Amino acid sequence: MQESGVRNGAYGADKFGFKDLKEIHWNLTEPSLYEHAISAGEAKLVDGGALCAETGHHTGRSPKDKHTVVDDLTRDVLWWDGNRKMSPCDCRPTTERHA
């Protein structure tokens, strides 16, 4: 397999479940990323020089995985239909909640 770029030597493609790859590129610089993505037809340049990749639909996080903390700042200003509420207590790391 042909590899390019910089990576942690302890983690190769096999650690991520990739097998039988012809080549793999690690941590590309912006110019290299642009070149690879555009030449593969995976992205294009838009006005201002930004790289735009069309990912299709259903590629974002599930609405059921998104939560907003309800507090004095958010309680009366957010539209809560379809938004999941979370108390400030639930937002703290597990180690703090059970200490």
Side-chain angles (χ1 to χ4, degrees):
M1 171 179 29
Q2 178 68 35
E3 293 190 48
S4 66
V6 178
R7 71 173 173 89
N8 180 332
Y11 297 98
D14 59 324
K15 298 285 185 184
F16 296 100
F18 296 118
K19 297 177 183 172
D20 303 321
L21 297 175
K22 183 177 174 183
E23 60 185 355
I24 189 165
H25 307 282
W26 300 95
N27 301 307
L28 296 176
T29 61
E30 290 86 352
S32 294
L33 176 62
Y34 276 44
E35 182 181 325
H36 283 280
I38 292 168
S39 67
E42 298 171 348
K44 61 183 177 182
L45 288 180
V46 296
D47 289 340
L51 186 69
C52 177
E54 295 291 336
T55 59
H57 65 289
H58 302 301
T59 59
R61 294 202 45 144
S62 166
K64 292 181 180 178
D65 292 338
K66 298 177 187 176
H67 296 80
T68 302
V69 173
V70 180
D71 59 12
D72 292 337
L73 182 65
T74 61
R75 184 175 294 108
D76 298 321
V77 295
L78 290 181
W79 178 47
W80 291 105
D81 260 3
N83 288 306
R84 298 173 65 105
K85 298 177 182 180
M86 173 185 259
S87 75
C89 180
D90 291 336
C91 192
R92 291 191 332 247
T94 304
T95 54
E96 289 180 20
R97 283 186 268 159
H98 299 288

